[in-house]
Amino acid sequence: MREVEEANAKLRERLPSAIWPLMVTEAEQYYRWRVQLDCGCIEEVLTLGEERLPSERQWRGPEHEWLQRGQTLCVHDDAPPAPYRDIVEWGERREVTFPADPVEPDDGMDPQTWAVLRHDEPYTRAFWKVTLTCGHITDTLAPDLGWKPEDGPRLCSVKRVAEMTKECEEYWASHPTEQTPREREHMRRMLSQRWPSPQPECLCYTCSFVHWIVAYQRVGWLVPRKAAPKQQQSPKPSSRAALKRRLQQAEAEAERLRNQLADLDQ
């Protein structure tokens, strides 16, 4: 209830009051379900009304994209590594300004390499929202501020790609546990395509946390309904045998009363 009220309060702050009835779902409309996911976790979810099953509803992903019906997010520490997915669509662009990099590298990078990569002044980068083959959405970095998807990727020279390939294979041979097989295969694919920028595939972290609803159980309305007044039940119809008994009793009582009247007359 608290989560719904907080979400509705934020919506009302952003929207004109005239369209609140269209855009804001009141708590009384929500029905509660307990669901079990294919990862074994049990969560509680809400649907609009008691007739809408959780397995028929679509939830949104971390970038507000629609997941498949019956899917929802469940974040695990033991989630599988994010897979690489191809980019199928380019969306919105935004610019982000970063502060100057620190003088000393903080991720174990050697000082010579860091001196080449480091920005000693604030700098701006362009990010694009992209849709992947799995349907999920993520960000990718543009080569520079002026780049557009219709420009196509920028490629390294054949000579430079050959040098990079040799350097990578030598590094992997001397450091067999430094990178995962997934990262090595990704780099080999990019080298085979002359190291395009931006790269045509991205890691999809959403895929690591998407799970299917495998069972569900009703909990009840988020706002409990008032109990309907009990209706008085009509009396159960008497059987033929019961009616005959009642008739015999009534006739006996009538005969007794007639006898009493006759005694009074005498």
Side-chain angles (χ1 to χ4, degrees):
M1 176 67 77
R2 182 175 62 254
E3 292 174 359
V4 170
E5 291 176 344
E6 290 175 354
N8 284 349
K10 292 179 181 178
L11 277 176
R12 291 189 176 97
E13 289 176 358
R14 302 199 312 265
L15 300 174
S17 58
I19 63 173
W20 285 357
L22 299 176
M23 303 298 294
V24 180
T25 304
E26 300 298 339
E28 290 79 6
Q29 297 177 259
Y30 283 116
Y31 193 81
R32 299 168 58 191
W33 300 82
R34 186 177 294 109
V35 298
Q36 183 177 357
L37 308 180
D38 58 6
C39 57
C41 293
I42 296 177
E43 306 286 347
E44 187 172 299
V45 299
L46 301 174
T47 61
L48 286 177
E50 59 181 331
E51 301 302 325
R52 185 80 176 274
L53 301 180
S55 58
E56 298 175 353
R57 180 186 164 179
Q58 281 185 288
W59 277 270
R60 291 189 181 272
E63 295 294 337
H64 302 288
E65 74 274 29
W66 289 110
L67 303 177
Q68 295 185 47
R69 294 185 184 277
Q71 285 185 338
T72 187
L73 295 178
C74 188
V75 179
H76 289 204
D77 292 335
D78 59 348
Y84 279 97
R85 307 292 193 198
D86 290 336
I87 296 173
V88 295
E89 184 179 349
W90 294 82
E92 297 179 356
R93 174 189 180 277
R94 77 183 195 280
E95 293 185 3
V96 179
T97 299
F98 299 91
D101 294 326
V103 177
E104 298 295 331
D106 57 0
D107 57 356
M109 184 179 296
D110 64 90
Q112 292 79 12
T113 304
W114 180 245
V116 175
L117 300 177
R118 177 178 175 268
H119 297 85
D120 55 4
E121 295 181 356
Y123 58 100
T124 303
R125 290 286 183 265
F127 290 86
W128 290 79
K129 291 285 184 187
V130 294
T131 302
L132 308 179
T133 51
C134 55
H136 303 144
I137 297 174
T138 189
D139 286 330
T140 192
L141 180 64
D144 56 46
L145 295 179
W147 181 87
K148 303 181 295 298
E150 53 266 30
D151 296 338
R154 298 179 181 177
L155 306 177
C156 291
S157 66
V158 175
K159 179 180 178 182
R160 179 55 186 148
V161 169
E163 294 172 350
M164 293 170 63
T165 302
K166 180 180 178 182
E167 292 169 359
C168 287
E169 294 298 340
E170 290 176 350
Y171 180 80
W172 291 331
S174 58
H175 300 79
T177 61
E178 190 67 22
Q179 286 183 308
T180 63
R182 178 196 61 172
E183 291 300 326
R184 294 187 185 190
E185 291 305 314
H186 164 70
M187 294 183 69
R188 288 190 175 105
R189 287 194 299 272
M190 296 303 99
L191 288 168
S192 69
Q193 300 176 40
R194 294 178 53 188
W195 204 258
S197 179
Q199 296 182 352
E201 61 184 35
C202 297
L203 286 172
C204 182
Y205 294 97
T206 303
C207 279
S208 299
F209 302 114
V210 167
H211 293 276
W212 290 92
I213 295 174
V214 296
Y216 50 83
Q217 180 185 44
R218 293 180 181 273
V219 177
W221 291 98
L222 180 61
V223 179
R225 298 294 194 259
K226 293 182 179 179
K230 293 184 178 180
Q231 297 181 351
Q232 293 184 351
Q233 295 182 351
S234 56
K236 184 178 180 180
S238 301
S239 64
R240 181 179 180 81
L243 289 175
K244 289 182 67 175
R245 285 196 301 271
R246 289 174 59 189
L247 178 60
Q248 291 172 354
Q249 292 173 356
E251 290 175 343
E253 178 65 14
E255 182 64 23
R256 185 179 66 81
L257 292 176
R258 282 194 291 268
N259 292 334
Q260 289 183 355
L261 286 174
D263 293 340
L264 290 176
D265 292 341
Q266 292 178 359

